[in-house]
Amino acid sequence: MRLATWNVNSIRTRVDRVTDWLARAEVDVLAMQELKCTDAQFPALPFHELGYEVAHVGFNQWNGVAIASRVGLDDVTVGFPNQPSWAKPGDEPAVEARAIGATCGGVRVWSLYVPNGRELADPHYTYKLNWLAALRDNAEGWLRDDPSAPIALVGDWNVAPTDDDVWDMAVFEGKTHVSAPERQAFNAFADAQFTDVVRPFTPGPGVYTYWDYTQLRFPKKQGMRIDFILGSPALAARVSHGEIARDERKGKSPSDHAPVLVEISR
């Protein structure tokens, strides 16, 4: 099974690019983030025409996550237990469209769009840390209930866990994505037995999944590695290949992220 994750940065803008890549890369399951549309606006037909079922959740023009699968789409769950809520000043707190899970070809897949955090002093930063902690507690519980479960936690984590995962640490000093608490929150998933199953196939510095649209970051190779596939022990043992489809950041109207893909043996 070929499983991939991609922050598409507006599915309505990039549905043709996404479905074209699905066909070319022979992807069986694709987790998507940052849909930027409501459920009613999601362009499901092009996926259905390719033989994919799609589960998605989007409440407004922000956030939004989805899973497209051609190997089954069962037990769809929107959000995880105790997922933290967020509210702008003056608004009622609400759970955002940042997590959706489904069982695809026997693998439990979670498409995740971790909060950005914005600035270290911003309340959104605390929200981000709480969100990661709640997800980690759930993930640990899932494995406690079934240690042999094949689980994939995939998506845009908005954390660069090592200095090699950003093009210049000096540029990020005092900013989010690289702070010690964020990295500790990410590394806590390893303590819960979830491992980065792509990095062994894509080692070294300068290997990124995101390049900002501004200041020619992509041609200058000034990126960040913030999109990951974390696997439970049972899943990690079955991963035979991993890659970052960097070329999908090229061309007309690309997302600012590239897809991340693994092959999972039966």
Side-chain angles (χ1 to χ4, degrees):
M1 187 172 82
R2 289 169 68 84
L3 165 66
T5 181
W6 195 356
N7 178 321
V8 297
N9 191 13
S10 178
I11 187 58
R12 288 181 293 171
T13 300
R14 275 170 265 282
V15 63
D16 290 342
R17 286 198 61 135
V18 171
T19 52
D20 175 70
W21 182 73
L22 277 177
R24 286 187 288 109
E26 298 185 334
V27 174
D28 296 303
V29 182
L30 175 64
M32 292 169 276
Q33 303 85 41
E34 206 169 355
L35 303 179
K36 293 185 175 180
C37 68
T38 66
D39 280 338
Q41 295 169 325
F42 187 92
L45 183 59
F47 291 92
H48 294 162
E49 290 175 341
L50 285 177
Y52 291 84
E53 300 175 83
V54 187
H56 51 85
V57 57
F59 303 133
N60 48 42
Q61 72 271 31
W62 310 111
N63 309 319
V65 286
I67 298 172
S69 172
R70 64 180 185 181
V71 292
L73 191 70
D74 302 311
D75 302 322
V76 175
T77 304
V78 174
F80 51 82
N82 300 314
Q83 181 177 325
S85 58
W86 172 253
K88 297 178 181 178
D91 291 347
E92 288 293 322
V95 174
E96 295 184 302
R98 292 185 175 274
I100 190 169
T103 300
C104 308
V107 175
R108 188 63 178 169
V109 178
W110 280 92
S111 180
L112 307 163
Y113 183 34
V114 176
N116 178 281
R118 299 176 183 170
E119 302 289 342
L120 298 183
D122 194 295
H124 208 261
Y125 178 76
T126 302
Y127 167 53
K128 177 181 189 174
L129 296 178
N130 291 340
W131 202 96
L132 285 165
L135 175 63
R136 189 265 185 197
D137 288 346
N138 276 278
E140 185 177 50
W142 297 330
L143 279 187
R144 186 169 54 246
D145 293 341
D146 183 0
S148 64
I151 305 172
L153 308 177
V154 314
D156 178 356
W157 292 76
N158 270 316
V159 179
T162 76
D163 289 357
D164 283 345
D165 295 330
V166 296
W167 61 275
D168 186 350
M169 272 299 296
V171 173
F172 293 90
E173 185 176 355
K175 297 181 180 179
T176 59
H177 293 61
V178 300
S179 70
E182 289 168 289
R183 288 179 169 179
Q184 290 166 4
F186 184 89
N187 290 333
F189 286 86
D191 297 336
Q193 301 185 68
F194 285 83
T195 56
D196 179 350
V197 295
V198 178
R199 195 182 295 266
F201 301 95
T202 57
V207 180
Y208 306 130
T209 65
Y210 164 83
W211 300 260
D212 194 284
Y213 289 126
T214 65
Q215 302 184 52
L216 299 176
R217 294 296 189 205
F218 183 70
K220 291 179 180 178
K221 300 181 180 180
Q222 296 174 345
M224 305 175 69
R225 185 172 188 150
I226 58 175
D227 302 86
F228 299 96
I229 297 176
L230 302 189
S232 64
L235 183 82
R238 294 167 52 190
V239 174
S240 58
H241 174 73
E243 65 182 80
I244 298 167
R246 187 179 183 276
D247 283 351
E248 297 309 309
R249 180 59 176 79
K250 301 176 181 178
K252 182 179 180 181
S253 299
S255 170
D256 43 5
H257 294 250
V260 179
L261 181 147
V262 292
E263 292 184 4
I264 303 168
S265 62
R266 296 292 182 182

